Amino acid sequence: MSNLSDAIWNLNAEAEYGPSDLELADQGQTVFRRFGEKLLQTIRQNQPSVHKGYLAVAGLARAAFKIAATFPPDSPVFGIEIERSLTDNLFGNQETFRHMDSQDAGLLPGKLEPGQSRIVIKLLGNGEYFGLFCADVDSAGANQLVGELRSAWQAICRCLSEAVFSMRLEALAAPFNFGEIAGDGNVSEKDLHEQICRQAALGFAADGAVLRLYNEAESTLEVRGSWGEIRHAPGERGGPAERICQRVFEDDGNYGTARALRSGKGFGIEITADDEETLRRVGIGSYMVMSLQSDIVSTSFAGKLGTLSIFHYREHEFSLRDIRLFHSFTERVGDDLALIALMRKQEEINEFVMTQSNASTRAEIISLFAHDLGHKAIHATEKTRDLIDNAKKAIRQKLSFEKIQTSAEEAEEACLRMETELGQLKNLTKHFDPGDEEDFSVHDLFTNIHRDFRAALDRNGMSMEIQVSGNTTLRGARRVLQQVVFNLVINAIDAQKSTGRSRKNIIHVRCTENTTGSRRQIKILFWDDGPGISWAHFPNPNDIFLLGKTSKKDGQGTGTGLPMSRRLIDSHFRGSLELKDRSKALFELTLEATA
């Protein structure tokens, strides 16, 4: 082995020069420039007769070779593109070296000086033609350089191939941006499909890529995304590319096909000669198509979702490594698309269930309000009649207003209760949506309820004492919790009135935040100094949560408030409503909250 060959084999392309990130890989230059400069420096050190030279590579998704590194570094040809068709014509089918004189050297960039020869090497790796090396050398030393380069040719191609492969892996491994599809960004489904095509083309130095997904309603494959130079044939509806994709999609035995149209080499599913000839006529040099499928979802085609295809407008032979890598990439794409489909389906199911649940909950609450309202109307009518009778009696006996004040207050309170109930029912039918969530403070909710009931509490010798510990901010259906607390306050007032006692009664509220690891809860203790839960009406205290059970007089209660409150707390806050002490009607509400 020659000294030059030894030096090149010692080049560690991946450690020295890459891999690059996706943005640099898109440009297709940085990795190659670093490698090329090191390669040219090594050749120059071993062959001083080399005056100048350059490395030209395809990069990613390029139909032309671009000069990525030169010697000397400030050469004016740096960055110039060389048409791939021209470089193909420089070599025969089996040639990898070309010794050019002054007459044909002008086909490539750079002026050839008198007394010099131009040596051009075709760089191949794993079946792929991805670049060329050009060096101008003294004519006397040309044959020696050719011999050295022939010995080192395999090493050069291997090192460059590894640099290319590292860069492609970087492109293929880059995560997709699900964005809006995942609910936290602004990337559309169309953008995602374009990302998939872009990464496929970049990862295999293809000129373009097309994504087709199966439409079960129409029983057709539809183009959903593309990237690169898309001419007529690859995206044509009903054309040869679509027929090839359809055949790959429907085939049960193979997962795809790869074809080099010039050499005739291929892998996988056989394609008709007519379709391949049509692609050849429109300039397609090679293509690879694989099905997208996933075990995550069940479709009419055994989990198949569509196809992904890449193509080149030049001769390109896919290596076994390329085929395996593309298969792995399509498996990843298939699973990602399947997950998105499941997410979307789950969102639709959740929305449907929530709509049904909201409608059911709303109907239950309206039924509760309507039932209670009917009883309150009867109670208000009775109190009004009592007031009228007492007023007539007072007028006949010429009594003062104080004699009928109690009847007047009872009638007024009964009417106010009806007014409150009607207001709640109006809000429910027009604005209230128990499924709507909002951020609110439990402390503020109790404060507002205390303000609304202050007059009724004062008339009955009652007050409310609220104590809070920790952060009581909660996300959920505020109106649902408001209705539950409203029922508890009404029950406390009714119990106070039923005793006929005049001593002060305080409603106590203790609200605390409890956090254990990632779990956060809001706990509310609610009790009063009244008579507690009646032993006569509720020998078993938990019967207060049974529908229809009540201790109130006819026309004043329905036995639906507490059962419905418990159900609402469970369904909207994943919480609970429990009776902890019957002697003082101590209730505990537990509400699940995010940490």
Side-chain angles (χ1 to χ4, degrees):
M1 186 177 291
S2 69
N3 292 334
L4 177 60
S5 182
D6 288 338
I8 292 175
W9 275 116
N10 289 330
L11 290 177
N12 188 333
E14 184 173 358
E16 292 281 347
Y17 319 113
S20 163
D21 60 24
L22 180 59
E23 183 178 349
L24 294 176
D26 189 13
Q27 299 170 5
Q29 296 302 310
T30 302
V31 170
F32 297 131
R33 182 173 185 177
R34 293 171 183 169
F35 173 76
E37 288 173 350
K38 194 72 173 178
L39 174 64
L40 291 166
Q41 181 183 356
T42 302
I43 292 174
R44 173 68 175 166
Q45 288 173 348
N46 285 268
Q47 289 293 333
S49 60
V50 174
H51 295 280
K52 58 185 177 182
Y54 52 77
L55 176 74
V57 292
L60 297 180
R62 283 190 178 276
F65 290 123
K66 188 169 184 178
I67 298 176
T70 63
F71 178 83
D74 57 352
S75 173
V77 300
F78 176 78
I80 292 177
E81 290 193 353
I82 307 171
E83 287 296 325
R84 182 86 56 111
S85 59
L86 171 62
T87 63
D88 290 343
N89 293 332
L90 293 176
F91 300 93
N93 290 335
Q94 304 300 323
E95 287 184 300
T96 55
F97 289 81
R98 180 76 186 273
H99 187 172
M100 306 172 73
D101 57 24
S102 59
Q103 293 182 353
D104 56 5
L107 296 173
L108 296 176
K111 181 181 178 182
L112 183 62
E113 301 294 337
Q116 296 179 359
S117 295
R118 179 162 290 174
I119 309 300
V120 185
I121 305 176
K122 184 178 185 179
L123 301 175
L124 301 170
N126 294 304
E128 179 185 352
Y129 177 22
F130 51 70
L132 58 85
F133 171 75
C134 178
D136 292 350
V137 62
D138 291 337
S139 297
N143 289 333
Q144 182 184 356
L145 178 61
V146 169
E148 290 278 354
L149 290 176
R150 283 187 186 276
S151 298
W153 178 78
Q154 189 176 8
I156 296 173
C157 292
R158 175 64 180 273
C159 289
L160 186 54
S161 175
E162 292 304 316
V164 171
F165 188 67
S166 296
M167 188 163 58
R168 291 185 181 173
L169 280 179
E170 190 76 16
L172 292 173
F176 300 131
N177 182 3
F178 290 103
E180 188 176 277
I181 300 170
D184 59 358
N186 58 2
V187 177
S188 68
E189 189 175 20
K190 181 180 178 182
D191 292 332
L192 175 64
H193 294 161
E194 184 177 305
Q195 285 181 49
I196 293 171
C197 293
R198 178 178 183 270
Q199 285 184 225
L202 292 176
F204 294 94
D207 294 301
V210 176
L211 172 71
R212 287 177 168 87
L213 296 181
Y214 183 64
N215 184 333
E216 292 203 38
E218 302 292 334
S219 300
T220 58
L221 282 174
E222 297 180 349
V223 175
R224 294 293 183 84
S226 62
W227 190 84
E229 188 181 353
I230 308 299
R231 299 176 189 170
H232 182 61
E236 180 184 12
R237 185 72 182 271
E242 184 178 88
R243 288 194 294 270
I244 293 172
C245 291
Q246 189 73 38
R247 186 162 184 177
V248 169
F249 181 74
E250 295 175 353
D251 191 279
D252 293 329
N254 297 280
Y255 50 78
T257 183
R259 289 288 183 275
L261 298 182
R262 182 181 299 178
S263 67
K265 293 181 181 179
F267 163 85
I269 300 169
E270 293 291 335
I271 306 301
T272 66
D274 289 343
D275 281 344
E276 290 201 341
E277 179 58 30
T278 302
L279 292 178
R280 193 180 288 109
R281 285 200 303 267
V282 298
I284 301 295
S286 61
Y287 64 86
M288 183 155 51
V289 182
M290 290 195 183
S291 60
L292 301 174
Q293 58 189 72
S294 175
D295 295 332
I296 298 174
V297 294
S298 176
T299 67
S300 54
F301 282 90
K304 290 187 178 181
L305 305 170
T307 63
L308 182 62
S309 57
I310 58 175
F311 49 87
H312 303 81
Y313 293 118
R314 62 184 185 273
E315 179 62 13
H316 181 98
E317 292 185 5
F318 296 103
S319 66
L320 183 58
R321 183 173 68 176
D322 285 339
I323 294 170
R324 289 172 176 169
L325 188 58
F326 192 54
H327 184 218
S328 298
F329 182 71
T330 55
E331 285 184 327
R332 169 197 166 193
V333 170
D335 284 341
D336 285 347
L337 292 176
L339 284 172
I340 290 173
L342 282 179
M343 288 164 55
R344 182 167 293 127
K345 187 174 183 180
Q346 188 62 48
E347 288 173 359
E348 292 174 356
I349 293 173
N350 291 344
E351 184 177 351
F352 174 78
V353 170
M354 183 61 72
T355 300
Q356 294 294 94
S357 174
N358 289 348
S360 175
T361 303
R362 184 180 301 212
E364 291 169 351
I365 296 176
I366 290 176
S367 175
L368 166 66
F369 274 128
H371 197 72
D372 280 349
L373 182 61
H375 284 274
K376 286 181 173 59
I378 294 172
H379 182 60
T381 301
E382 291 175 352
K383 291 300 180 182
T384 302
R385 287 171 179 167
D386 289 343
L387 175 61
I388 292 173
D389 291 341
N390 290 333
K392 288 180 179 178
K393 182 178 179 181
I395 291 173
R396 285 196 302 270
Q397 297 179 4
K398 298 182 179 180
L399 300 175
S400 66
F401 175 75
E402 283 76 11
K403 298 297 182 181
I404 63 170
Q405 184 172 359
T406 300
S407 295
E409 288 178 352
E410 289 178 351
E412 181 186 15
E413 186 170 339
C415 291
L416 286 173
R417 286 193 179 190
M418 279 188 62
E419 183 179 339
T420 301
E421 202 85 359
L422 283 169
Q424 293 283 345
L425 189 59
K426 181 179 179 181
N427 287 334
L428 178 66
T429 56
K430 288 190 176 182
H431 305 292
F432 178 68
D433 185 351
D436 287 345
E437 294 187 346
E438 58 181 300
D439 294 320
F440 65 94
S441 165
V442 177
H443 181 206
D444 292 345
L445 183 142
F446 273 99
T447 301
N448 292 335
I449 290 177
H450 182 201
R451 182 193 60 215
D452 294 340
F453 277 93
R454 189 180 300 277
L457 291 170
D458 289 344
R459 283 197 301 271
N460 291 280
M462 301 180 71
S463 62
M464 183 180 290
E465 180 186 90
I466 304 170
Q467 293 185 8
V468 174
S469 174
N471 176 19
T472 64
T473 300
L474 187 67
R475 183 167 183 81
R478 180 182 60 83
R479 290 183 180 275
V480 168
L481 183 59
Q482 178 177 297
Q483 180 59 37
V484 170
V485 176
F486 174 84
N487 287 337
L488 293 176
V489 174
I490 287 292
N491 288 343
I493 294 175
D494 287 342
Q496 171 77 354
K497 290 174 60 178
S498 68
T499 63
R501 296 184 303 174
S502 59
R503 77 179 183 89
K504 188 72 171 179
N505 183 357
I506 301 175
I507 295 177
H508 304 272
V509 178
R510 300 289 184 271
C511 184
T512 60
E513 176 193 32
N514 293 332
T515 303
T516 305
S518 61
R519 187 179 185 185
R520 177 172 171 262
Q521 292 181 326
I522 304 296
K523 285 198 175 184
I524 302 168
L525 296 178
F526 183 101
W527 77 97
D528 65 84
D529 299 331
I533 305 298
S534 168
W535 282 92
H537 293 91
F538 297 104
N540 182 352
N542 285 319
D543 285 351
I544 61 173
F545 295 110
L546 295 178
L547 195 64
K549 289 281 188 177
T550 181
S551 61
K552 297 176 183 177
K553 297 179 182 179
D554 291 341
Q556 296 185 33
T558 63
T560 57
L562 286 174
M564 187 61 64
S565 294
R566 172 181 268 188
R567 180 170 180 177
L568 292 174
I569 290 296
D570 175 60
S571 61
H572 290 279
F573 292 95
R574 296 174 291 118
S576 61
L577 173 61
E578 304 291 340
L579 176 65
K580 292 297 184 179
D581 185 350
R582 68 178 302 157
S583 65
K584 50 185 178 181
L586 171 60
F587 291 93
E588 181 184 75
L589 287 87
T590 303
L591 311 173
E592 292 292 336
T594 56

